[in-house]
Amino acid sequence: MAEFWNTLWRWISGILGVTCLSLIIILGILLNNTFHQETIKSTSPAEPSTQFQEGTDCYFCQERWIGSMCNCYFVSSDLETWEESRNFCASNNSTLLQMDNRDELACI
């Protein structure tokens, strides 16, 4: 009789293990699809143009962005916090520019 209960518990633990693994895989797929769709929505307006600038290996910049040395810069006069600026950059698939002195601004 003891062997029957051992076999039964092995089957039950095996079934529960497979069920748990299946749920984890399904959750991973759902989270991946949700994250991927949100990323596409947030970065789609910032995709660079697929057209090259004539005579260079550089892409054209988006409207209202300044191109310099194959980089695109967005200069804003809006007063925003660092966090708001970082979020704006992230929504445009870009990063904040960090300058060490005013001379670097002359290169843009």
Side-chain angles (χ1 to χ4, degrees):
M1 188 68 155
E3 190 171 321
F4 169 75
W5 287 110
N6 282 342
T7 304
L8 180 63
W9 283 115
R10 284 184 187 182
W11 275 99
I12 291 173
S13 64
I15 291 169
L16 288 175
V18 169
T19 303
C20 185
L21 184 61
S22 300
L23 289 173
I24 289 172
I25 290 171
I26 291 169
L27 180 63
I29 291 169
L30 290 174
L31 288 175
N32 186 34
N33 287 344
T34 302
F35 177 73
H36 183 67
Q37 289 172 356
E38 287 177 6
T39 303
I40 290 172
K41 287 178 187 174
S42 68
T43 60
S44 58
E47 292 176 8
S49 169
T50 55
Q51 297 177 343
F52 283 107
Q53 293 178 14
E54 225 173 277
T56 69
D57 292 335
C58 303
Y59 288 106
F60 282 108
C61 294
Q62 305 178 68
E63 187 177 326
R64 297 182 57 209
W65 288 64
I66 300 167
S68 175
M69 296 185 283
C70 291
N71 291 313
C72 296
Y73 300 94
F74 183 81
V75 179
S76 174
S77 58
D78 296 341
L79 229 55
E80 295 182 347
T81 65
W82 186 88
E83 177 107 6
E84 290 169 332
S85 298
R86 185 183 60 134
N87 290 339
F88 171 81
C89 289
S91 70
N92 284 282
N93 199 23
S94 60
T95 57
L96 280 173
L97 174 65
Q98 180 177 347
M99 294 188 297
D100 296 322
N101 57 48
R102 286 194 174 271
D103 296 335
E104 292 181 52
L105 186 59
C107 296
I108 299 176

